[in-house]
Amino acid sequence: MGRGKYKNKPTGKRQFSTPEDILAGTSTRPRTFRQHEAEHEEEESREESDEGSEEESGEESEEGLEKRKGTQGIIEIENPNLVKPKSVKARDVDLGKTTELSRREREELEKQKAHERYMRLQEQGKTEQARKDLERLSLIREQRAEAARKREEEKAAKEQKKAEARK
Protein backbone atom coordinates (compact mmCIF):
# COMPACT_ATOMS: atom_id res chain seq x y z
CA MET A 1 0.00 0.00 0.00
CA GLY A 2 1.11 3.58 -0.68
CA ARG A 3 2.08 5.73 2.25
CA GLY A 4 1.08 8.99 0.60
CA LYS A 5 3.09 12.08 -0.20
CA TYR A 6 6.11 13.26 1.90
CA LYS A 7 6.29 10.29 4.29
CA ASN A 8 9.91 9.39 3.61
CA LYS A 9 11.43 11.46 6.44
CA PRO A 10 13.48 9.50 9.00
CA THR A 11 11.74 11.00 12.02
CA GLY A 12 11.56 7.71 13.91
CA LYS A 13 15.35 7.32 14.10
CA ARG A 14 16.08 10.12 16.57
CA GLN A 15 17.86 9.27 19.81
CA PHE A 16 17.62 11.53 22.80
CA SER A 17 19.97 11.57 25.77
CA THR A 18 18.40 10.56 29.05
CA PRO A 19 19.10 12.58 32.20
CA GLU A 20 21.15 9.66 33.55
CA ASP A 21 23.36 9.68 30.44
CA ILE A 22 23.89 13.43 30.75
CA LEU A 23 24.88 13.16 34.43
CA ALA A 24 27.17 10.25 33.73
CA GLY A 25 28.76 12.09 30.81
CA THR A 26 28.20 9.18 28.45
CA SER A 27 25.84 11.02 26.16
CA THR A 28 26.16 10.16 22.46
CA ARG A 29 25.59 13.77 21.58
CA PRO A 30 28.60 15.32 19.83
CA ARG A 31 30.52 18.01 21.72
CA THR A 32 30.14 21.56 20.48
CA PHE A 33 32.95 23.85 19.37
CA ARG A 34 32.66 25.95 22.53
CA GLN A 35 33.12 22.89 24.72
CA HIS A 36 36.22 21.93 22.74
CA GLU A 37 37.55 25.51 23.07
CA ALA A 38 36.85 25.60 26.81
CA GLU A 39 38.67 22.31 27.32
CA HIS A 40 41.58 23.54 25.20
CA GLU A 41 41.82 26.80 27.19
CA GLU A 42 41.67 24.92 30.50
CA GLU A 43 44.53 22.67 29.41
CA GLU A 44 46.61 25.70 28.34
CA SER A 45 45.94 27.54 31.59
CA ARG A 46 46.94 24.44 33.60
CA GLU A 47 50.20 24.11 31.67
CA GLU A 48 51.00 27.83 32.06
CA SER A 49 50.15 27.84 35.77
CA ASP A 50 52.53 24.92 36.31
CA GLU A 51 55.31 26.77 34.48
CA GLY A 52 54.62 30.39 35.59
CA SER A 53 55.09 32.08 38.94
CA GLU A 54 52.30 32.91 41.37
CA GLU A 55 51.86 36.47 40.06
CA GLU A 56 51.43 35.38 36.46
CA SER A 57 48.95 32.66 37.35
CA GLY A 58 46.89 35.21 39.32
CA GLU A 59 46.72 37.53 36.33
CA GLU A 60 45.78 34.78 33.94
CA SER A 61 43.11 33.40 36.23
CA GLU A 62 41.43 36.83 36.11
CA GLU A 63 41.57 36.80 32.32
CA GLY A 64 40.23 33.24 32.25
CA LEU A 65 37.11 34.36 34.12
CA GLU A 66 36.19 36.71 31.28
CA LYS A 67 34.51 34.76 28.47
CA ARG A 68 35.14 35.98 24.96
CA LYS A 69 33.13 35.17 21.86
CA GLY A 70 34.49 34.45 18.41
CA THR A 71 37.81 36.08 17.60
CA GLN A 72 37.84 38.35 20.65
CA GLY A 73 40.12 35.92 22.50
CA ILE A 74 42.60 35.91 19.64
CA ILE A 75 42.65 39.56 18.62
CA GLU A 76 43.02 42.37 21.15
CA ILE A 77 40.69 45.19 20.12
CA GLU A 78 40.71 48.71 21.54
CA ASN A 79 37.32 50.00 20.48
CA PRO A 80 36.48 53.33 22.15
CA ASN A 81 32.79 52.79 21.40
CA LEU A 82 32.71 49.40 23.08
CA VAL A 83 30.86 49.67 26.37
CA LYS A 84 31.91 47.13 28.94
CA PRO A 85 29.03 46.03 31.16
CA LYS A 86 29.46 47.28 34.70
CA SER A 87 27.87 45.12 37.34
CA VAL A 88 27.17 47.17 40.44
CA LYS A 89 26.14 45.36 43.59
CA ALA A 90 23.32 46.69 45.72
CA ARG A 91 25.58 47.39 48.70
CA ASP A 92 27.96 49.44 46.52
CA VAL A 93 25.27 51.75 45.13
CA ASP A 94 25.66 55.34 46.30
CA LEU A 95 22.19 56.68 47.01
CA GLY A 96 23.43 60.22 47.65
CA LYS A 97 24.89 60.53 44.15
CA THR A 98 22.69 62.37 41.67
CA THR A 99 22.45 60.97 38.20
CA GLU A 100 23.18 63.28 35.31
CA LEU A 101 20.38 63.74 32.82
CA SER A 102 20.84 63.13 29.15
CA ARG A 103 20.78 66.08 26.75
CA ARG A 104 17.23 65.32 25.61
CA GLU A 105 15.91 64.97 29.16
CA ARG A 106 17.64 68.19 30.21
CA GLU A 107 16.22 70.09 27.20
CA GLU A 108 12.76 68.73 27.91
CA LEU A 109 12.91 69.92 31.53
CA GLU A 110 14.14 73.36 30.45
CA LYS A 111 11.31 73.56 27.92
CA GLN A 112 8.71 72.69 30.59
CA LYS A 113 10.14 75.25 33.03
CA ALA A 114 10.16 77.95 30.35
CA HIS A 115 6.53 77.16 29.46
CA GLU A 116 5.47 77.33 33.12
CA ARG A 117 7.29 80.66 33.55
CA TYR A 118 5.61 82.03 30.41
CA MET A 119 2.18 80.91 31.58
CA ARG A 120 2.74 82.63 34.98
CA LEU A 121 3.67 85.88 33.22
CA GLN A 122 0.70 85.43 30.90
CA GLU A 123 -1.66 85.21 33.88
CA GLN A 124 -0.16 88.35 35.39
CA GLY A 125 -0.55 90.15 32.04
CA LYS A 126 3.13 90.97 31.65
CA THR A 127 3.72 89.36 28.27
CA GLU A 128 3.15 91.09 24.96
CA GLN A 129 0.55 88.54 23.93
CA ALA A 130 -1.34 89.04 27.20
CA ARG A 131 -1.34 92.83 26.66
CA LYS A 132 -2.75 92.40 23.16
CA ASP A 133 -5.42 90.02 24.47
CA LEU A 134 -6.41 92.48 27.21
CA GLU A 135 -6.63 95.32 24.68
CA ARG A 136 -8.87 93.20 22.46
CA LEU A 137 -11.04 92.29 25.43
CA SER A 138 -11.43 95.92 26.44
CA LEU A 139 -12.42 96.86 22.86
CA ILE A 140 -14.97 94.05 22.72
CA ARG A 141 -16.42 95.07 26.11
CA GLU A 142 -16.78 98.67 24.91
CA GLN A 143 -18.47 97.54 21.70
CA ARG A 144 -20.87 95.31 23.62
CA ALA A 145 -21.65 98.09 26.08
CA GLU A 146 -22.42 100.48 23.17
CA ALA A 147 -24.57 97.86 21.47
CA ALA A 148 -26.50 97.25 24.71
CA ARG A 149 -26.98 101.01 25.18
CA LYS A 150 -28.31 101.36 21.61
CA ARG A 151 -30.69 98.45 22.14
CA GLU A 152 -32.03 100.02 25.32
CA GLU A 153 -32.52 103.35 23.52
CA GLU A 154 -34.33 101.67 20.61
CA LYS A 155 -36.49 99.70 23.01
CA ALA A 156 -37.37 102.85 24.92
CA ALA A 157 -38.15 104.65 21.62
CA LYS A 158 -40.49 101.79 20.52
CA GLU A 159 -42.30 101.79 23.84
CA GLN A 160 -42.70 105.56 23.62
CA LYS A 161 -44.18 105.27 20.10
CA LYS A 162 -46.59 102.56 21.27
CA ALA A 163 -47.65 104.68 24.21
CA GLU A 164 -48.28 107.69 21.88
CA ALA A 165 -50.21 105.52 19.44
CA ARG A 166 -52.54 104.31 22.21
CA LYS A 167 -53.35 107.79 23.37
Side-chain angles (χ1 to χ4, degrees), residues 25-108:
T26 59
S27 175
T28 58
R29 185 171 173 218
R31 293 177 180 252
T32 62
F33 178 74
R34 284 190 186 175
Q35 289 173 340
H36 285 298
E37 278 297 309
E39 288 175 1
H40 184 65
E41 288 177 9
E42 287 175 12
E43 290 173 5
E44 286 180 3
S45 64
R46 283 188 213 135
E47 291 173 4
E48 290 175 2
S49 65
D50 293 341
E51 295 171 4
S53 66
E54 293 177 9
E55 294 176 6
E56 291 177 4
S57 63
E59 292 173 3
E60 290 177 14
S61 65
E62 291 175 6
E63 291 176 8
L65 294 174
E66 188 177 326
K67 290 185 178 180
R68 297 184 175 188
K69 296 179 182 177
T71 59
Q72 289 179 352
I74 300 168
I75 304 170
E76 292 294 325
I77 300 173
E78 293 184 25
N79 185 354
N81 297 326
L82 181 66
V83 179
K84 295 181 181 176
K86 295 180 182 179
S87 58
V88 179
K89 295 188 178 177
R91 65 174 180 253
D92 297 336
V93 174
D94 186 15
L95 296 176
K97 186 176 114 177
T98 58
T99 57
E100 292 186 22
L101 298 174
S102 68
R103 179 184 56 83
R104 286 183 181 167
E105 292 171 339
R106 201 173 347 135
E107 287 176 356
E108 189 173 329

Side-chain angles (χ1 to χ4, degrees), residues 107-118:
E107 287 176 356
E108 189 173 329
L109 282 174
E110 290 172 2
K111 186 176 179 182
Q112 287 176 355
K113 287 179 183 177
H115 182 70
E116 290 173 8
R117 194 177 326 112
Y118 182 78

Side-chain angles (χ1 to χ4, degrees), residues 140-154:
I140 291 170
R141 284 182 184 150
E142 288 175 12
Q143 289 173 354
R144 288 180 181 169
E146 285 180 32
R149 216 177 307 115
K150 285 181 182 177
R151 269 187 261 122
E152 290 294 326
E153 289 174 5
E154 289 174 4

